[in-house]
Amino acid sequence: MINFIGKKIFGSRNARVLKRMQPLVDQINAFEPGVRALSDALLQAKTSYFKELLSKGKTVNDILPEAFAVVREASCRTLKMRHFDVQLLGGIVLHEGKIAEMKTGEGKTLVATLPIYLNALTGQGAHVVTVNDYLAKRDANWMGEIYKFLGLSVGIIVHGLNDTERKAAYSCDVTYGTNNEFGFDYLRDNMKFSLLNYTQRDFHFAIVDEVDSILIDEARTPLIISGPTDETTDKYYRVNTAVIGLKKDVDYTLEEKSKSANLTEEGMSNVEKRLGVENLYAPENMELLHHVHQALKAHMCFKKDVDYVVQEDEVIIVDEFTGRLMPGRRYSDSLHQALETKENVTIEKENQTLATITFQNFFRMYKKLAGMTGTADTEAEEFQKIYNLEVIVIPPNKQMIRKDYPDLIYKTAREKFKAVVNEIKELNKESRPVLVGTISIEKSELLSKLLTREGIKHHVLNAKQHEKEAEIVAQAGQPYAVTISTNMAGRGTDIVLGEGIAAKGGLHILGTERHESRRIDNQLRGRAGRQGDMGSSRFYLSLEDDLLRIFGSERIANFMNRLGMEDDIPIEHSFISKAIENAQRKVEGHNFDIRKHLLKYDDVMSKQRQIIYGKRREVLEGLTIKENTREWIEELASDIVSFNLDNPNEEGRIDIKNFNEALFGAFTIHFDFTENVLEKESSELIDLVKNRILKVYEEKEGLIGDAQLRRIERIVTLQNIDNLWKDHLLSMDHLKDAVGLYGYAQKDPLLIYQKEGFDMFSAMFYRIKENTIEQLFKIQIAKQEESDAAKMAEAREEEVKREYAKREAKLQLGRAVEKKRETIKRDSEKVGRNDPCPCGSGKKYKRCHGK
């Protein structure tokens, strides 16, 4: 009530922000007549003029009004598109490092050119992050006309580029690319052995397009570069056999909300008998227990053609939000191997993490981050808490006149789909275009069969090929068009209405199920009614839908029964709509908690990652490598002396033999101290040891040469950092799995993870110092050792390159397989079952792909 009264008196925060920005819009408009009168040459000269102002102490905020006016005029001349005033507002919001929510068709792609140009003038680079390669290329080539006209360079980061091409693209004033490519390039750079091979610059300014998709939907999936381990795959078959045939509610319980399954006592006993072990909870069986849980999860919680598909002897993940296939991506923690075993395809060996980062922590490295989307307001709290990004809703250029009809709820899914087909038939007779939204590949294929049976021509988009997808979506507003699409297929592409369609009511959006997130439903609705177009939307639901079945369908079912509703009679009621929205809020809150939980754990890793990558860069720069080595020598020498002085034997005396051996083990120097040396003060003894070691170090430098020793120090230090960091990542993975058990002892697992993780990291960093110094002092024959070290470094870099090549090849194979399947599917329409298969195998079609 207080908030309501406050808004009435002072206006909403959103309205106040827009009101504050309005004078800037007025200033931009005031510049327009003068800018319009400039010749092309004088307009282009403005870029040099702005850069000069910045070099003399002006800020980007000082030049914003005139710079925006210049971009607007350049757009008019190159693209014949003039920024509306609301688009100027959107540009100011983005420049201030906020999220601009703008409805579909309001020209977000054009809006981004304003702040990107302004921030690129600093010479530090400006990034535009998109959801796929197609959009990155399209937007860079399209909007690039403006930047190039004004004298800025434009780069594109997409799949398949080599490091030279990537470095050139990142060196441009403006760089377009995908979130995955930006993130993986960061990880790759921090595994390289020369700063000259780094592709990226510092992270200055980025605008994330479809920001909710990238920073919310994909936030639960970290980017991981991994390498195969030597473990056998036999255990997966053994465990898979042990969980087959287990009975629900007898051997295990299923929690669909959290996608988890747990063995009961009886189930645990059955599994132990099948595996031939006495106690699965014994310490020596903890790994086996983990694989049992993952196999149970694979069988009971993950559905084929919903969560994943099987193609060409491979399990491929389906993105739960977009319905897209994700070739090259794998579930972690042995879950993917469990699914491969379940589906009886080739099991790939477990991978060990070499480098990893979440999108949350990657994008938080930018000095200034902004985002734009059509649907962010429902997740405003998460954007604020996780990324410190405020969501500002930009009013549309033209009033929204789309008619959103109330949901229709049926008792059964069968009756629901029957009603969906009937509505599509009726609209098709009127030649009105229909865009049908489904939440899974399985549902889209089911509906396609029903429409085919009725003789209704339609397109099915499972979001497999972005170019084809965008083309089909762009045509979805034409007469008689019926397009079945998974949630966000074709996102980023406007649907333009065909001739005469607006008069018939425009594009109709038909949702076949509510998504867990209201935002995804709003995205689907937002495909209609662009720029003041006519349009309509309606969702068809059933009590058998996952959302209603899992989250509170009992109350709704009781309500429908009290009304005496028949299976084929839908219900529209405010109580039902409110119950559905409450269910969605619950799921959104649950998913937010999961992402917050993951982020808290990754924040621990983030701090450690920054220290390690910072030390790597420091070593590669080589400016302080000698000082670093001397510092580590002095620290280790001091620790060895102090430890021996503080830990005498039972007689209270220092074991001089152990003391000498410890010094020799660390520095390969024979000290031959006698007990007389123990009469010295500890500080004096420490100085004595340090000076002797540093003298040997200086002698080694004189023998090898300053430049050569620095190179060896760099290589040896990097090898130890990389090898021990890789092992540390594995240990942290195991720690994360283990700390969950502390919850049963009423202890906070996160606090345990933070404390144990800090101790493990400290120990790892100390081992880096120990190993590096020990190896440096063992070098005797300089040239041979340097050659060996160099070869080891080169071999390591080649190994990393091979891992990249395998990953890239796998992604390309996924695309090639998809393309081949599409070709076969298309050609098979003209082929009889007894004709040769179009795939070229030589087999009859019915024996090959015809099956």
Side-chain angles (χ1 to χ4, degrees):
M1 177 59 74
I2 293 173
N3 286 338
F4 176 77
I5 295 171
K7 284 183 181 179
K8 282 291 183 183
I9 298 172
F10 303 108
S12 69
R13 162 71 181 169
N14 199 87
R16 294 197 302 274
V17 170
L18 295 179
K19 186 177 180 180
R20 171 178 63 80
M21 293 175 175
Q22 188 56 46
L24 277 175
V25 174
D26 296 338
Q27 289 178 49
I28 297 165
N29 288 331
F31 273 108
E32 187 170 24
V35 170
R36 186 181 297 158
L38 297 174
S39 65
D40 282 0
L42 288 175
L43 184 63
Q44 291 164 337
K46 283 292 184 181
T47 296
S48 300
Y49 166 69
F50 291 141
K51 287 182 177 180
E52 186 180 349
L53 288 178
L54 291 173
S55 70
K56 291 180 178 178
K58 291 286 186 182
T59 67
V60 285
N61 290 335
D62 295 331
I63 64 172
L64 184 150
E66 189 176 2
F68 274 29
V70 166
V71 175
R72 177 194 256 177
E73 182 58 28
S75 177
C76 290
R77 297 186 190 186
T78 56
L79 304 179
K80 311 301 180 198
M81 298 168 71
R82 178 183 176 276
H83 297 75
F84 303 127
D85 282 5
V86 290
Q87 290 177 310
L88 299 180
L89 277 174
I92 298 167
V93 167
L94 294 173
H95 168 68
E96 292 189 354
K98 295 179 172 65
I99 291 174
E101 181 182 293
M102 302 181 72
K103 299 303 178 189
T104 302
E106 291 295 311
K108 294 187 289 291
T109 307
L110 186 64
V111 169
T113 59
L114 298 163
I116 286 292
Y117 171 78
L118 177 62
N119 286 272
L121 291 171
T122 62
Q124 297 173 276
H127 296 167
V128 183
V129 186
T130 65
V131 292
N132 59 53
D133 284 356
Y134 166 74
L135 289 176
K137 286 185 279 190
R138 185 201 72 176
D139 293 353
N141 292 326
W142 185 17
M143 297 297 127
E145 295 294 319
I146 298 174
Y147 305 124
K148 290 172 186 173
F149 177 84
L150 293 172
L152 297 185
S153 54
V154 181
I156 311 174
I157 298 291
V158 291
H159 173 73
L161 300 182
N162 60 39
D163 278 1
T164 304
E165 293 167 326
R166 289 176 186 274
K167 190 169 187 175
Y170 282 119
S171 299
C172 290
D173 297 306
V174 179
T175 307
Y176 283 79
T178 66
N179 50 317
N180 284 337
E181 294 299 327
F182 281 120
F184 276 124
D185 282 342
Y186 169 72
L187 294 178
R188 291 179 189 121
D189 276 357
N190 284 286
M191 296 174 71
K192 288 175 180 170
F193 285 81
S194 170
L195 287 177
L196 295 174
N197 295 331
Y198 274 45
T199 60
Q200 292 182 330
R201 296 190 278 173
D202 288 340
F203 301 109
H204 170 53
F205 175 62
I207 293 176
V208 181
D209 194 8
E210 309 297 0
V211 66
D212 49 340
S213 172
I214 293 172
L215 296 190
I216 300 289
D217 297 338
E218 298 203 36
R220 282 193 282 176
T221 309
L223 295 171
I224 297 172
I225 291 178
S226 57
T229 64
D230 297 326
E231 291 189 13
T232 176
T233 57
D234 292 346
K235 59 189 175 189
Y236 300 113
Y237 293 109
R238 181 185 172 205
V239 169
N240 187 69
T241 305
V243 301
I244 290 175
L246 294 179
K247 297 174 183 176
K248 184 180 176 183
D249 298 327
V250 176
D251 294 305
Y252 68 91
T253 57
L254 184 63
E255 184 59 56
E256 291 188 77
K257 292 181 185 179
S258 58
K259 265 198 171 182
S260 62
N262 294 293
L263 290 170
T264 61
E265 284 194 29
E266 186 175 340
M268 183 62 70
S269 177
N270 285 336
V271 170
E272 285 170 343
K273 287 176 186 174
R274 294 178 182 188
L275 291 173
V277 297
E278 190 171 322
N279 180 10
L280 262 177
Y281 284 100
E284 65 271 17
N285 290 328
M286 290 307 286
E287 184 185 357
L288 186 60
L289 177 63
H290 171 72
H291 288 301
V292 168
H293 281 146
Q294 295 299 70
L296 190 68
K297 194 173 181 180
H299 278 272
M300 313 311 171
C301 304
F302 282 72
K303 299 175 185 175
K304 184 178 175 182
D305 291 333
V306 175
D307 300 297
Y308 64 91
V309 297
V310 178
Q311 290 184 356
E312 305 293 328
D313 194 43
E314 192 174 5
V315 170
I316 302 176
I317 298 173
V318 174
D319 188 309
E320 66 173 304
F321 294 100
T322 67
R324 300 185 196 281
L325 297 185
M326 303 169 74
R329 286 277 194 102
R330 293 178 63 79
Y331 292 116
S332 58
D333 293 333
S334 306
L335 178 58
H336 212 95
Q337 284 83 358
L339 289 168
E340 287 168 334
T341 316
K342 169 189 171 184
E343 298 297 340
N344 197 28
V345 300
T346 303
I347 303 173
E348 290 197 17
K349 286 187 176 180
E350 184 90 48
N351 282 338
Q352 181 175 347
T353 301
L354 303 178
T356 180
I357 192 169
T358 60
F359 282 124
Q360 288 118 315
N361 276 319
F362 173 72
F363 283 108
R364 291 197 299 187
M365 290 192 295
Y366 279 90
K367 292 172 189 169
K368 184 163 66 174
L369 181 67
M372 51 189 187
T373 180
T375 46
D377 201 33
T378 55
E379 314 287 353
E381 180 189 359
E382 182 164 356
F383 281 121
Q384 186 68 58
K385 287 185 176 178
I386 303 295
Y387 303 100
N388 196 27
L389 287 171
E390 184 178 7
V391 176
I392 301 297
V393 181
I394 309 296
N397 185 49
K398 293 182 181 178
Q399 187 178 352
M400 170 73 71
I401 57 173
R402 183 187 68 230
K403 186 166 179 58
D404 296 327
Y405 293 102
D407 298 347
L408 290 178
I409 300 103
Y410 290 80
K411 275 193 172 182
T412 67
R414 181 174 172 274
E415 294 301 331
K416 176 186 74 172
F417 278 107
K418 185 177 174 183
V420 166
V421 171
N422 286 336
E423 176 158 2
I424 294 172
K425 278 171 67 176
E426 292 303 314
L427 292 168
N428 200 243
K429 288 176 185 175
E430 300 170 14
S431 75
R432 269 190 76 183
V434 185
L435 178 64
V436 186
T438 63
I439 67 166
S440 69
I441 294 173
E442 182 185 41
K443 296 291 171 60
S444 65
E445 290 177 349
L446 167 65
L447 185 56
S448 176
K449 288 177 184 175
L450 295 174
L451 291 178
T452 301
R453 196 179 298 163
E454 295 292 334
I456 300 173
K457 291 183 179 179
H458 59 280
H459 287 288
V460 180
L461 281 180
N462 289 336
K464 295 173 182 175
Q465 293 175 299
H466 301 312
E467 290 86 347
K468 178 185 174 185
E469 167 191 317
E471 181 185 336
I472 292 175
V473 169
Q475 297 298 315
Q478 299 304 307
Y480 299 101
V482 177
T483 311
I484 303 174
S485 166
T486 45
N487 289 316
M488 291 191 296
R491 192 168 177 183
T493 306
D494 280 350
I495 299 176
V496 181
L497 295 182
E499 190 175 345
I501 292 301
K504 295 183 178 181
L507 175 68
H508 181 65
I509 302 296
L510 198 159
T512 59
E513 201 164 329
R514 282 283 194 175
H515 195 272
E516 289 182 351
S517 167
R518 291 166 294 161
R519 178 172 47 82
I520 306 295
D521 294 339
N522 291 339
Q523 285 163 8
L524 178 61
R525 274 203 167 112
R527 305 316 295 266
R530 61 180 290 280
Q531 282 292 330
D533 281 345
M534 294 289 291
S536 57
S537 72
R538 189 193 291 277
F539 279 84
Y540 282 74
L541 315 177
S542 85
L543 295 183
E544 295 176 349
D545 294 348
D546 286 346
L547 179 71
L548 298 183
R549 183 173 54 80
I550 298 170
F551 295 91
S553 67
E554 192 173 324
R555 290 179 64 202
I556 299 172
N558 290 338
F559 183 77
M560 292 180 78
N561 288 329
R562 283 201 302 272
L563 293 177
M565 302 302 293
E566 301 294 332
D567 287 358
D568 60 348
I569 307 251
I571 184 174
E572 290 181 40
H573 198 281
S574 58
F575 167 80
I576 303 292
S577 299
K578 192 172 182 181
I580 292 167
E581 189 169 336
N582 286 338
Q584 289 177 308
R585 287 181 190 277
K586 283 181 188 175
V587 184
E588 288 167 1
H590 176 68
N591 289 337
F592 181 24
D593 289 341
I594 290 174
R595 289 189 289 266
K596 279 197 298 185
H597 180 73
L598 289 174
L599 184 61
K600 284 175 183 175
Y601 279 84
D602 192 61
D603 279 344
V604 176
M605 288 303 303
S606 180
K607 290 174 184 141
Q608 296 179 2
R609 187 188 304 112
Q610 287 170 11
I611 293 170
I612 285 293
Y613 286 177
K615 176 56 72 176
R616 263 190 122 263
R617 193 172 190 102
E618 188 183 300
V619 171
L620 287 170
E621 287 170 348
L623 300 177
T624 59
I625 186 71
K626 182 176 180 177
E627 291 80 357
N628 184 76
T629 302
R630 289 178 64 94
E631 181 186 317
W632 286 1
I633 288 171
E634 293 181 5
E635 183 182 342
L636 290 172
S638 177
D639 287 347
I640 290 172
V641 174
S642 298
F643 179 80
N644 279 274
L645 291 177
D646 293 342
N647 291 275
N649 58 23
E650 293 178 356
E651 299 171 0
R653 300 177 63 80
I654 306 302
D655 190 324
I656 199 71
K657 182 183 177 185
N658 286 347
F659 184 36
N660 284 327
E661 286 178 354
L663 289 170
F664 180 79
F667 303 103
T668 325
I669 298 174
H670 290 287
F671 276 82
D672 299 325
F673 281 137
T674 62
E675 291 196 1
N676 294 335
V677 78
L678 301 177
E679 297 173 4
K680 297 180 180 292
E681 292 290 329
S682 62
S683 59
E684 189 181 355
L685 182 55
I686 288 171
D687 287 341
L688 177 68
V689 171
K690 280 183 187 176
N691 292 336
R692 170 81 186 278
I693 297 168
L694 289 173
K695 183 181 178 184
V696 173
Y697 174 68
E698 299 293 341
E699 289 171 354
K700 195 176 288 288
E701 184 179 57
L703 178 65
I704 297 174
D706 180 78
Q708 296 286 47
L709 184 57
R710 297 295 86 77
R711 183 165 183 262
I712 293 172
E713 285 172 341
R714 180 172 63 84
I715 292 170
V716 171
T717 306
L718 285 176
Q719 284 180 331
N720 280 298
I721 288 174
D722 289 349
N723 289 335
L724 290 169
W725 174 244
K726 177 188 70 175
D727 294 342
H728 178 71
L729 289 174
L730 182 62
S731 299
M732 291 296 284
D733 281 344
H734 288 161
L735 175 63
K736 193 187 293 185
D737 289 339
V739 293
L741 297 173
Y742 282 94
Y744 294 109
Q746 305 302 311
K747 293 181 181 179
D748 185 347
L750 177 61
L751 290 177
I752 303 294
Y753 181 76
Q754 289 170 334
K755 182 183 180 303
E756 295 286 333
F758 174 79
D759 292 343
M760 288 163 58
F761 182 77
S762 300
M764 175 212 67
F765 209 86
Y766 198 83
R767 283 199 304 277
I768 290 173
K769 300 175 186 178
E770 283 184 316
N771 292 0
T772 300
I773 298 305
E774 180 185 342
Q775 289 163 22
L776 285 173
F777 274 84
K778 281 183 177 175
I779 293 173
Q780 299 298 329
I781 305 172
K783 288 186 180 178
Q784 181 60 44
E785 290 290 340
E786 179 196 347
S787 172
D788 290 346
K791 285 178 183 176
M792 288 171 68
E794 287 168 8
R796 167 72 178 140
E797 195 153 12
E798 284 302 314
E799 179 188 342
V800 172
K801 285 179 181 176
R802 282 195 298 273
E803 288 306 319
Y804 296 156
K806 283 180 188 175
R807 175 179 166 271
E808 301 298 340
K810 192 164 185 179
L811 288 169
Q812 287 191 14
L813 175 63
R815 292 188 179 91
V817 166
E818 209 48 57
K819 189 174 180 181
K820 183 176 179 182
R821 289 175 66 88
E822 289 293 328
T823 303
I824 293 168
K825 185 177 178 182
R826 187 184 65 244
D827 293 346
S828 65
E829 294 172 2
K830 310 167 190 173
V831 177
R833 288 181 59 74
N834 290 312
D835 292 337
C837 185
C839 74
S841 64
K843 299 179 184 177
K844 290 183 179 180
Y845 178 62
K846 67 179 181 181
R847 297 285 184 192
C848 193
H849 284 84
K851 63 190 177 183

